[in-house]
């Protein structure tokens, strides 16, 4: 905790222009609308500001937690008094490169990226137009829908490697993209800053029509009127999580304010006032009930914080005072 407080003091002193929100309620930054206050949330205005911030944190052995659009995270009710989050919200540059590829910074929303590609008459990103995440969060998770994934369109990714305070660019082939996974999940301390996307020439009207069709499908099938974090569980091999949950009779199952969506059993929704414990307990119940009935193990797709809070045991591990980049 002392390291974090010293880092915050130095950040305030050395980076007075940086937007630094202290004791910020994470419910305001989560698509679930759940989460108590984090000790601090820093919003650097560009990559340079990001690097300066990380250098100070590194000096104090404090690792940041990257925040995109918060559409895939469950923050704890009790808050994160020992965490400094760094938001990519202001890292919003997007433009066409001379060879026709698209450059986008980590904070660009996937819907903006898809719309920009359409404006350029480029096809391949239609699948992403309804995913409520950012380029950074989407690449980390290899987000996908309707047969498309980030791995199909990302040519290369630039990331900041926190332990070394160095920038690296890696080609798609080295990103270890898999089903909802990438090297950025496997190696701690890799902060995605930007990416280049390679797409195919297409017809603007057809691209627009495809995006409209996919977004209508989404509205039809998903509970977009209620806060959620998308699919709660990953697709188990050979099965669909939503179908198993439905067949286990859990559609509409409720714990406090959290509910297995009546519209789409793969979603856990916040029906109003849900706590992270409600969501967690509900997910535990679903996981156990599905296992009992089908002997299929569901694992969460949602990032559950704090990092030691695992969905395999309902006793949360003790919180650490800080996350030391050297520990990870
Ligand atoms: C209604 C709804 C529908 C959804 N539909 C889909 C769907 O069709 N397909 C799908 O794949 N997902 C879907 N999702 C889930 C979510 O939108 C995606 O996983 C998205 O990629 C998360 O991006 P984000 O920017 O919100 O990440 P966040 O939720 O902010 O962060 C998620 C993880 O990524 C890390 N992260 C964020 N930014 C960076 C960065 N720059 N560098 C390194 N790590 C970073 C965070 O630390 C965290 O661990 C849906 C969610 C909702 C609420």
């Amino acid at each position: 905790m002392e390291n974090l407080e010293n880092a915050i003091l130095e950040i305030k002193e050395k980076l007075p222009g940086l937007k630094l929100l202290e004791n910020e309620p994470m419910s305001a930054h989560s698509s679930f609308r759940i989460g108590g206050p984090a000790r601090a949330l820093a919003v650097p205005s560009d990559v340079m500001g990001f690097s300066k911030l990380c250098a100070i944190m590194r000096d104090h052995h404090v690792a940041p937690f990257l925040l995109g659009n918060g559409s895939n995270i469950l923050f704890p009710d009790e808050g994160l008094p020992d965490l400094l989050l760094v938001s990519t919200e202001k890292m919003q540059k997007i433009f066409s490169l001379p060879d026709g590829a698209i450059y986008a910074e980590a904070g660009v929303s996937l819907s903006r990226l898809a719309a920009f590609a359409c404006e350029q008459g480029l096809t391949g990103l239609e699948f992403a137009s309804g995913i409520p995440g950012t380029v950074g969060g989407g690449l980390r998770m290899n987000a996908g829908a309707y047969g498309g994934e980030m791995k199909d369109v990302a040519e290369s990714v630039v990331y900041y490697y926190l332990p070394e305070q160095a920038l690296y660019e890696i080609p798609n082939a080295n990103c270890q993209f898999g089903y909802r996974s990438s090297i950025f999940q496997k190696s701690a301390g890799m902060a995605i800053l930007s990416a280049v996307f390679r797409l195919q020439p297409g017809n603007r009207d057809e691209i627009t029509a495809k995006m409209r069709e996919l977004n209508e499908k989404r509205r039809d099938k998903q509970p977009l009127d209620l806060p959620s974090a998308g699919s709660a569980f990953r697709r188990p091999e050979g099965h669909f999580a939503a179908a198993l949950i439905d067949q286990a009779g859990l559609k509409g199952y409720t714990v406090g304010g959290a509910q297995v969506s009546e519209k789409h059993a793969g979603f856990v929704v916040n029906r109003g006032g849900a706590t992270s414990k409600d969501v967690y307990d509900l997910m535990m119940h679903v996981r156990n009930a599905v296992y009992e009935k089908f002997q299929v193990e569901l694992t969460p797709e949602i990032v559950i914080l704090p990092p030691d809070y695992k969905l395999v045991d309902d006793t949360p591990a003790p919180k650490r005072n800080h996350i030391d980049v050297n520990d990870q």
Side-chain angles (χ1 to χ4, degrees):
M1 202 78 107
E2 199 187 320
N3 285 3
L4 177 59
E5 292 309 320
N6 289 339
I8 290 174
L9 280 178
E10 194 173 331
I11 289 167
K12 285 188 196 167
E13 189 191 312
K14 298 215 170 128
L15 305 175
L18 178 88
K19 182 172 168 190
L20 185 73
L21 306 167
E22 294 189 63
N23 306 312
E24 177 68 4
M26 294 316 296
S27 52
H29 302 272
S30 134
S31 58
F32 249 141
R33 299 282 166 260
I34 294 174
R39 175 63 190 90
L41 171 64
V43 191
S45 43
D46 52 26
V47 169
M48 188 55 85
F50 179 91
S51 318
K52 286 181 186 164
L53 174 68
C54 290
I56 295 176
M57 293 177 76
R58 177 77 176 92
D59 287 347
H60 292 276
H61 303 286
V62 173
F65 180 87
L66 268 287
L67 179 67
N69 200 32
S71 65
N72 201 37
I73 306 179
L74 179 63
F75 291 107
D77 306 317
E78 62 273 25
L80 294 158
D82 47 8
L83 206 62
L84 195 154
L85 293 102
V86 178
S87 166
T88 57
E89 185 187 310
K90 289 194 183 169
M91 289 154 69
Q92 289 284 349
K93 284 199 187 80
I94 181 165
F95 52 81
S96 290
L97 294 166
D99 65 357
I102 295 175
Y103 167 93
E105 286 187 349
V108 171
S109 71
L110 294 176
S111 57
R112 170 79 189 110
L113 177 66
F116 185 84
C118 177
E119 284 159 26
Q120 311 301 308
L122 294 171
T123 180
L125 267 162
E126 294 86 333
F127 77 89
S129 75
I131 302 178
T134 58
V135 164
L139 286 166
R140 180 186 183 274
M141 132 85 133
N142 186 24
Y146 306 113
E149 286 178 309
M150 296 303 279
K151 78 168 171 53
D152 305 331
V153 288
E155 183 171 79
S156 61
V157 179
V158 170
Y159 67 92
Y160 188 89
Y161 189 50
L162 295 149
E164 292 176 10
Q165 301 284 304
L167 282 179
Y168 290 96
E169 178 170 21
I170 45 170
N172 178 308
N174 294 356
C175 290
Q176 297 179 18
F177 284 125
Y179 167 66
R180 301 292 174 269
S181 69
S182 73
I183 193 170
F184 308 106
Q185 289 171 5
K186 292 168 195 156
S187 300
M190 295 169 93
I192 297 165
L193 296 183
S194 65
V196 169
F197 295 93
R198 177 73 55 190
L199 303 162
Q200 302 304 316
N203 174 290
R204 221 170 274 153
D205 293 339
E206 286 171 16
I207 299 167
T208 308
K210 185 78 191 165
M211 291 201 293
R212 196 166 295 142
E213 178 203 323
L214 296 183
N215 283 330
E216 266 164 28
K217 252 192 205 169
R218 211 174 255 281
R219 271 192 296 276
D220 243 28
K221 298 255 182 310
Q222 299 182 358
L224 301 184
D225 53 331
L226 290 170
S228 79
S231 298
F233 295 99
R234 300 165 69 84
R235 193 176 61 221
E237 224 176 304
H239 302 272
F240 289 100
L244 294 174
I245 297 167
D246 195 0
Q247 286 157 26
L250 292 165
K251 241 185 190 175
Y253 179 79
T254 302
V255 175
Q259 185 181 54
V260 174
S261 165
E262 286 166 339
K263 193 168 179 182
H264 187 311
F267 280 56
V268 173
V269 293
N270 177 357
R271 291 207 57 95
T275 62
S276 65
K277 186 166 181 336
D278 292 342
V279 174
Y280 178 77
D281 288 350
L282 181 136
M283 286 177 70
M284 282 294 285
H285 177 84
V286 167
R287 185 175 180 274
N288 293 339
V290 165
Y291 189 78
E292 232 165 71
K293 198 164 169 74
F294 303 108
Q295 288 72 57
V296 176
E297 203 160 315
L298 294 180
T299 53
E301 183 167 309
I302 298 169
V303 176
I304 298 174
L305 285 182
D308 295 331
Y309 203 62
K310 300 245 166 59
L311 197 73
V312 286
D313 181 341
D314 57 5
T315 318
K319 283 200 233 155
R320 292 193 267 169
N321 287 338
H322 66 275
I323 301 172
D324 188 326
V325 286
N326 298 310
D327 279 347
Q328 296 183 25

